[in-house]
Amino acid sequence: MGNPSQYTLYYFLLFVLIIISILIIPVLIEYIDKKRKEAKQKRYREEFYKHYKIHVPPTMLVYPTTTTQDIGIFRMRYPTWERRNKDGTHDGRSNNMRIHQHSSELFIGQWQLAGSNPFVVYNLILQLRAAGVAIAYCAEEQRKRETILRRMNTRYNTSSIDAIVEQFSDDPVKFEPFCADMFRHLGWQASVTPPSRDGGFDLTLCDTNGNTFIAECKCYNRKHRIGRHVLQKLQGANATQLAQGTIFITTSDFTADAIAYARQVDMRLIDGATLIRLCREAYETEDIAKEPHIDASDCHLTRQDIMRHIPIDMQYRYG
């Protein structure tokens, strides 16, 4: 008979070996699988580079596909909070701060590429396009193109006040970027104030001499005349804004009382007739008989365009 202590040691060592195997084998399998995937990704990246001469960022994944996509297509997707408010920000009632990193995807040639950082993905898109690779517009670029085209078409339809009013009858707010665009073509700097915090005015302006203004824009029919009280609201808004001047723009006209008040406070008034004249000055160098042309680069997404799709309280993560 063997020594019982020897059997105890034997079973103890066997038990330890089993425990170690249970702990180590899954980790070892996971490590081997990770290395295998990394080797595949390295090979795929090298093959992709041989064809397009563009390096795929290390944070993106590359996969071969069974179909060939001659013209690239891609879909932009953005991170979201697992629990979020209507505006996309984190739900303050929940402690769950988990972020869903949705992957943006590109299909080009015989490859599929994916990445969770929309800025990294879009930068690769721009590099490929610059290298001559045909990639179709994504949904965001297509919407940007339609907005630009609509704005350009608007410029060419300024023959009368009635034509301008009709263009913005469905959405008068769009009259504001129309006015901003007109001022830019006149050599001014112009930006539209966000509707949620307009502060009582629609535009911030800076003329060619560096003078600053705030402006209010109202798209009304000819019969709707602007009264004094509306001008006073704009003047009151400038008490906190402290611009060097104020401008009121309308497609209609002003009452005699409003005109008298504007003279007292040195406010510039642009009525319908003046607006038509300024539009003609702004766009006189453009050939309105030609079909509006948009460069592809005009439709590219800017950093601000992409940021608009990311919740405000998550944007700091992207610098």
Side-chain angles (χ1 to χ4, degrees):
M1 299 271 314
N3 189 336
S5 62
Q6 291 179 333
Y7 286 110
T8 302
L9 179 60
Y10 171 78
Y11 286 121
F12 175 74
L13 292 175
L14 181 61
F15 175 76
V16 171
L17 182 61
I18 292 172
I19 294 299
I20 292 175
S21 299
I22 291 173
L23 295 175
I24 291 180
I25 289 177
V27 175
L28 185 60
I29 291 174
E30 183 179 352
Y31 176 78
I32 294 172
D33 185 57
K34 179 182 177 182
K35 289 299 181 182
R36 180 178 58 81
K37 289 179 179 178
E38 288 178 353
K40 273 189 176 181
Q41 281 296 306
K42 182 180 179 181
R43 187 172 75 253
Y44 294 155
R45 291 168 189 278
E46 289 173 350
E47 292 178 19
F48 187 89
Y49 180 78
K50 286 179 183 178
H51 192 279
Y52 295 104
K53 299 296 185 265
I54 298 290
H55 288 289
V56 178
T59 55
M60 292 183 64
L61 298 176
V62 186
Y63 304 101
T65 61
T66 56
T67 58
T68 300
Q69 194 73 40
D70 294 328
I71 297 179
I73 57 173
F74 72 104
R75 178 179 61 170
M76 294 287 287
R77 299 191 69 193
Y78 308 91
T80 59
W81 293 110
E82 184 172 45
R83 296 180 183 273
R84 53 189 180 273
N85 301 309
K86 288 184 178 180
D87 63 355
T89 57
H90 178 259
D91 187 347
R93 297 167 296 178
S94 170
N95 292 325
N96 192 332
M97 297 293 285
R98 184 178 175 187
I99 296 175
H100 288 296
Q101 297 285 2
H102 307 287
S103 291
S104 298
E105 296 177 306
L106 166 66
F107 296 86
I108 183 68
Q110 294 182 322
W111 300 98
Q112 174 187 356
L113 295 87
S116 60
N117 187 319
F119 293 98
V120 172
V121 174
Y122 194 66
N123 185 57
L124 176 64
I125 300 294
L126 296 181
Q127 289 184 57
L128 288 167
R129 283 175 172 167
V133 180
I135 300 178
Y137 290 135
C138 66
E140 293 87 340
E141 289 177 321
Q142 186 60 39
R143 284 194 293 269
K144 187 170 184 177
R145 182 181 185 279
E146 290 170 358
T147 299
I148 294 172
L149 186 60
R150 187 166 53 247
R151 195 172 294 172
M152 292 178 70
N153 283 329
T154 299
R155 298 176 192 167
Y156 304 143
N157 195 11
T158 56
S159 57
S160 70
I161 284 300
D162 293 333
I164 294 177
V165 172
E166 184 178 354
Q167 288 181 71
F168 301 111
S169 59
D170 294 335
D171 191 358
V173 174
K174 292 181 179 177
F175 180 62
E176 297 165 15
F178 167 80
C179 292
D181 185 70
M182 178 192 72
F183 277 108
R184 292 190 197 103
H185 274 71
L186 291 170
W188 292 40
Q189 297 177 33
S191 60
V192 180
T193 307
S196 60
R197 51 182 188 276
D198 64 9
F201 59 97
D202 299 320
L203 307 179
T204 56
L205 304 167
C206 182
D207 67 13
T208 54
N209 295 319
N211 300 310
T212 59
F213 299 85
I214 61 171
E216 182 75 356
C217 309
K218 294 296 182 185
C219 187
Y220 292 144
N221 62 49
R222 293 176 182 271
K223 296 180 181 180
H224 191 139
R225 302 175 74 193
I226 305 295
R228 175 187 178 121
H229 69 286
V230 184
L231 272 59
Q232 287 175 323
K233 289 182 180 179
L234 177 61
Q235 195 66 19
N238 199 36
T240 55
Q241 191 66 20
L242 301 179
Q244 292 170 278
T246 53
I247 303 175
F248 203 104
I249 309 161
T250 183
T251 49
S252 59
D253 205 343
F254 300 91
T255 64
D257 194 32
I259 294 173
Y261 174 75
R263 287 173 181 161
Q264 291 175 11
V265 297
D266 198 25
M267 180 184 296
R268 297 189 188 182
L269 301 182
I270 297 178
D271 59 12
T274 306
L275 181 64
I276 290 294
R277 177 177 58 78
L278 291 175
C279 285
R280 288 172 179 166
E281 290 180 15
Y283 306 126
E284 65 181 355
T285 59
E286 297 186 14
D287 186 355
I288 63 174
K290 289 176 57 179
E291 183 72 20
H293 172 72
I294 302 175
D295 291 331
S297 59
D298 294 334
C299 303
H300 289 169
L301 303 179
T302 64
R303 182 174 183 80
Q304 289 73 23
D305 292 331
I306 296 176
M307 277 293 192
R308 290 191 190 103
H309 296 274
I310 299 174
I312 295 174
D313 56 352
M314 197 189 295
Q315 293 180 0
Y316 73 93
R317 295 169 179 266
Y318 297 90

